């Protein structure tokens, strides 16, 4: 049964402990175990944390029993995300009680939101560290080792961790995330991110390019540039003589090598420009795929959400994307049951989805978050049963669209970047096409990291199945 408060697609990463399958010859005297929740940026932050801890002699492990430090990198986006972490902390209680000296730390957005209060509420927690304070982890761990509880949740206007090379924890060795900015200035009324991540700041463009170059040199073939609102990326060098916009950054990363695929997420409909669309068009290795969250199809609700665009503006954006890049994959996020949402507003969301026919959608029912503009200004007045019924309708409509778009691909041939052996069969590889659709095909003599032309023969609701053509 589908959990409808989670992403309808791959939620499998949530809470999974990541560590490289093989750890280099270097041995570590101490081990840390980290579970990550929330968005890709949070997962990428865990890799920054891993890098900082490596310097301190800590190596990653997937086995909680051998760790002397347990970290949960948390998310606050919906109430359920926080409840999951609370439950995990309870589960760690036993291990903590039977392991002298074991430290437990809460990192990320929940640490930032609840701050020092977490130490009172969750007695077994020794460390609380917000997203901009990871450089202070070694000092905080040292303090916690003396038996003191330690907290650093200071947000920064400058921190981008630009100089830190993340240690790839979830490494298929082919695809990787690269954070290009932190924070968000948008203040969508439902959203906790501006409070947990602070002001928006863009990372030094050359540190991004260097990271992508290094990834390519070590065999990676795809980078996804990450930010809450990538289109507002804007970096100026110290001398003020060079300014790099998102379109320019995309171009510079694409120019590293034609064999390096470039993806990006997330685009805010109000900020994505024609310049970005033309850049996607100009370079074959920039994937034709845009994540363009709509949130609602009703202009009235969009206004209450403070999204700063209307239904018509959004539809024009979709039309423009399809005009310039006809085969562009398009995905979205939708929230049902936001404050005051009527059946008519809900119908507007359904009809907008009918118009956009998304390839992929992440759908949620509204979860009021403390401290947000919506919590302060509006009543969370839609009964949960109604929120969930509307969500079910949105999900059902989306499924029909996605099934139809999958079926339309049968018979076509796509360039697929092989990411690894299929979970279902060792005889198959899986990868993705330009439009981000998962493709499975017989392995033959191909290996991960190869680009393979695959002719699609059939499909399921989430996977295209085909064979290599030569
Ligand atoms: N920055 C991106 C944007 O503007 O679309 C994504 C932000 S958030 C990490 C991912 C998604 O979570 C949002 O697009 C929204 O659909 C959903 N979300 C955020 N706050 C929510 C809330 N209070 N209740 C339900 N869903 C929420
Ligand atoms: Fe949240 Fe809006 Fe910022 Fe996205 S753009 S992170 S939804 S405030
Ligand atoms: Fe969650 Fe924080 Fe990301 S609230 S979605 S982990 S920015």
């Amino acid at each position: 049964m589908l959990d409808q408060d989670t992403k309808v697609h791959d939620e499998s990463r949530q809470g999974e402990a990541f560590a490289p399958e093989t750890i280099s010859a270097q041995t570590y005297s101490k081990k840390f175990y980290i579970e990550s929740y929330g968005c890709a940026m949070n997962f990428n932050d865990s890799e920054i944390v891993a890098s900082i801890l490596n310097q301190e002699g800590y190596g990653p492990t997937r086995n909680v029993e051998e760790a002397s430090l347990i970290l949960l990198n948390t998310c606050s986006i919906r109430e359920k995300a926080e409840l999951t972490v609370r439950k995990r902390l309870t589960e760690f209680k036993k291990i903590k009680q039977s392991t002298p000296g074991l430290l437990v730390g809460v990192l990320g957005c929940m640490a930032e939101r609840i701050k020092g209060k977490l130490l009172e509420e969750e007695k077994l927690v020794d460390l609380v560290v917000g997203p901009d304070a990871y450089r202070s982890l070694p000092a905080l761990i040292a303090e916690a080792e003396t038996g003191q509880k330690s907290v650093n949740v200071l947000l920064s206007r400058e921190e981008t961790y630009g100089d830190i090379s993340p240690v790839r924890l979830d490494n298929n060795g082919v695809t990787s995330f690269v954070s290009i900015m932190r924070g968000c200035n948008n203040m969508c009324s439902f959203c906790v991110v501006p409070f947990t991540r602070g002001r928006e700041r863009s990372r030094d463009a050359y540190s991004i390019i260097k990271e992508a170059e290094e990834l390519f040199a070590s065999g990676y073939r795809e980078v996804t540039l990450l930010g809450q609102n990538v289109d507002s990326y804007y970096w100026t060098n110290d001398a003020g003589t060079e300014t790099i916009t998102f379109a320019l950054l995309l171009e510079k990363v694409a120019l590293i090598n034609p064999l390096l695929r470039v993806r990006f997420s997330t685009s805010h409909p109000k900020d994505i420009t024609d310049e970005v669309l033309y850049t996607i068009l100009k370079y074959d290795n920039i994937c034709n795929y845009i994540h363009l969250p709509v949130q609602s199809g009703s202009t009235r609700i969009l206004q209450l959400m403070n999204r700063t665009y209307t239904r018509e503006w959004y539809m024009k954006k979709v039309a423009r994307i399809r005009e310039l890049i006809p085969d562009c994959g398009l995905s979205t996020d939708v929230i049902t049951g936001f404050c005051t949402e009527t059946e008519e507003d809900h119908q507007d969301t359904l009809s907008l989805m009918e118009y956009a026919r998304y390839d992929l959608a992440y759908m949620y029912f509204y979860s009021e978050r403390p401290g947000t503009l919506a919590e302060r200004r509006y009543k969370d007045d839609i009964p949960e049963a109604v929120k969930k019924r509307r969500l079910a309708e949105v999900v059902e409509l989306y499924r029909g669209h996605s099934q139809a778009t999958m079926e339309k691909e049968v018979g076509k041939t796509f360039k697929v970047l092989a990411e690894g052996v299929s979970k279902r069969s060792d005889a198959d590889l899986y990868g993705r096409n330009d439009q981000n659709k998962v493709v499975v095909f017989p392995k033959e003599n191909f290996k991960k990291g190869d680009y393979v032309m695959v002719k699609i023969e059939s499909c399921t609701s989430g996977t295209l199945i085909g064979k290599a053509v030569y």
Side-chain angles (χ1 to χ4, degrees):
M1 172 73 190
L2 178 77
D3 176 356
Q4 294 198 332
D5 190 29
T6 58
K7 290 181 180 179
V8 175
H9 286 269
D10 188 10
E11 274 286 293
S12 58
R13 288 169 56 99
Q14 296 293 310
E16 200 176 317
F18 285 106
E21 266 159 33
T22 48
I23 296 177
S24 66
Q26 193 183 1
T27 47
Y28 294 97
S29 51
K30 298 170 279 185
K31 296 265 168 67
F32 72 93
Y33 169 94
I34 190 162
E35 283 182 9
S36 307
Y37 296 83
C39 60
M41 264 164 286
N42 219 35
F43 280 72
N44 194 224
D45 277 5
S46 292
E47 301 184 322
I48 287 164
V49 166
S51 177
I52 292 168
L53 292 177
N54 272 188
Q55 301 292 319
E56 296 297 304
Y58 278 94
T61 175
R62 290 184 192 202
N63 178 4
V64 68
E65 310 285 339
E66 55 176 43
S68 55
L69 174 65
I70 294 178
L71 298 172
L72 292 185
N73 193 3
T74 61
C75 172
S76 287
I77 201 84
R78 284 166 289 277
E79 190 186 14
K80 189 167 171 254
E82 291 197 356
L83 292 177
T84 310
V85 167
R86 300 265 190 195
K87 190 159 162 270
R88 272 314 266 158
L89 285 171
T90 318
E91 287 161 9
F92 286 137
K93 214 171 228 157
K94 263 211 188 105
I95 307 176
K96 170 100 171 156
Q97 280 160 355
S98 60
T99 320
L102 174 68
L103 296 179
V104 176
V106 176
L107 316 179
C109 291
M110 194 173 160
E112 192 61 50
R113 196 183 78 72
I114 312 182
K115 304 189 167 62
K117 271 207 295 194
L118 247 180
L119 297 173
E120 292 153 35
E121 290 169 21
E122 300 287 350
K123 294 279 183 255
L124 84 162
V125 173
D126 305 289
L127 294 158
V128 176
V129 192
D132 286 346
Y134 297 144
R135 285 183 206 266
S136 67
L137 260 170
L140 294 171
I141 292 169
E143 201 176 303
E145 277 168 348
T146 69
Q148 286 185 52
K149 304 271 179 192
S150 33
V151 184
N152 186 351
V153 288
L154 284 178
L155 286 173
S156 154
R157 280 179 178 257
E158 283 97 37
E159 182 61 270
T160 60
Y161 300 111
D163 58 321
I164 295 182
S165 290
V167 168
R168 306 293 161 189
L169 292 172
D170 174 24
N171 63 345
N172 62 11
V174 179
T175 62
S176 186
F177 293 129
V178 175
S179 291
I180 64 166
M181 59 210 294
R182 297 181 73 81
C184 183
N185 285 354
N186 277 330
M187 299 305 268
C188 301
S189 63
F190 52 79
C191 186
V192 79
V193 172
F195 305 96
T196 60
R197 295 262 162 179
R199 305 291 292 170
E200 181 185 287
R201 62 222 99 118
S202 296
R203 178 179 166 191
D204 179 330
Y206 290 98
S207 78
I208 297 168
I209 295 160
K210 183 165 165 268
E211 188 176 326
E213 281 170 349
E214 286 169 0
L215 283 165
F216 184 75
S218 52
Y220 284 81
R221 290 296 172 263
E222 182 181 296
V223 290
T224 302
L225 307 181
L226 293 178
Q228 293 295 357
N229 183 11
V230 287
D231 301 281
S232 68
Y233 177 88
Y234 191 84
W235 177 79
T236 308
N237 66 355
D238 286 342
T241 49
E242 188 182 16
T243 291
I244 296 189
T245 60
F246 181 58
L248 203 52
L249 180 73
L250 255 186
E251 174 159 65
K252 283 182 181 290
V253 177
L255 284 170
I256 290 173
N257 195 297
L259 288 177
L260 180 68
R261 263 189 179 176
V262 189
R263 297 185 187 276
F264 56 91
S265 183
T266 293
S267 290
H268 195 297
K270 77 174 161 58
D271 291 320
I272 189 164
T273 57
D274 270 8
E275 204 192 347
V276 167
L277 301 181
Y278 283 121
T279 309
I280 298 173
L281 260 183
K282 188 169 164 196
Y283 295 95
D284 262 1
N285 56 332
I286 303 180
C287 291
N288 292 352
Y289 175 75
I290 298 175
H291 184 54
L292 196 72
V294 66
Q295 314 298 0
S296 168
S298 151
T299 295
R300 189 183 72 82
I301 293 293
L302 286 169
Q303 261 165 7
L304 292 181
M305 286 177 163
N306 200 21
R307 288 291 286 182
T308 70
Y309 52 85
T310 61
R311 170 188 173 88
E312 289 71 29
W313 165 281
Y314 184 92
M315 287 162 91
K316 268 197 200 140
K317 250 326 152 195
V318 171
R320 184 69 176 150
I321 291 169
R322 298 243 152 98
E323 179 193 342
L324 292 180
I325 316 169
D327 67 340
C328 193
L330 196 65
S331 60
T332 199
D333 295 347
V334 176
I335 298 176
T336 65
F338 186 65
C339 314
T340 79
E341 187 186 72
T342 61
E343 285 306 321
E344 205 185 329
D345 295 320
H346 171 57
Q347 289 303 322
D348 282 350
T349 298
L350 294 173
S351 66
L352 188 136
M353 290 178 74
E354 198 63 71
Y355 174 82
R357 298 186 81 89
Y358 297 107
D359 296 278
L360 197 62
Y362 303 105
M363 296 157 280
Y364 316 94
F365 65 80
Y366 175 56
S367 163
E368 185 179 75
R369 306 310 294 132
T372 54
L373 291 184
E375 189 252 356
R376 285 183 272 147
R377 282 188 196 158
Y378 314 123
K379 195 159 169 255
D380 181 15
D381 59 352
I382 307 301
E384 187 155 313
V386 176
K387 289 180 181 174
K388 287 187 171 170
R389 194 254 303 149
R390 289 180 187 164
L391 177 60
E393 288 173 14
V394 162
V395 169
E396 196 190 332
L397 181 66
Y398 156 68
R399 287 214 166 126
H401 292 160
S402 112
Q403 182 68 35
T405 58
M406 294 299 271
E407 282 163 12
K408 262 199 347 224
E409 310 298 36
V410 175
K412 294 185 189 164
T413 299
F414 293 108
K415 188 181 190 180
V416 176
L417 172 60
E419 291 178 25
V421 176
S422 159
K423 276 190 193 145
R424 295 246 168 92
S425 160
D426 285 351
D428 292 335
L429 288 176
Y430 79 93
R432 276 173 301 148
N433 70 2
D434 217 58
Q435 291 75 15
N436 213 20
K437 292 202 165 89
V438 175
V439 180
V440 172
F441 56 97
K443 194 164 152 195
E444 301 177 43
N445 291 321
F446 299 109
K447 56 185 185 323
K448 67 178 186 178
D450 286 348
Y451 285 101
V452 185
M453 296 307 293
V454 179
K455 182 160 189 207
I456 307 305
E457 295 173 337
S458 62
C459 69
T460 66
S461 60
T463 310
L464 298 173
I465 302 158
K467 249 197 205 120
V469 288
Y470 299 91

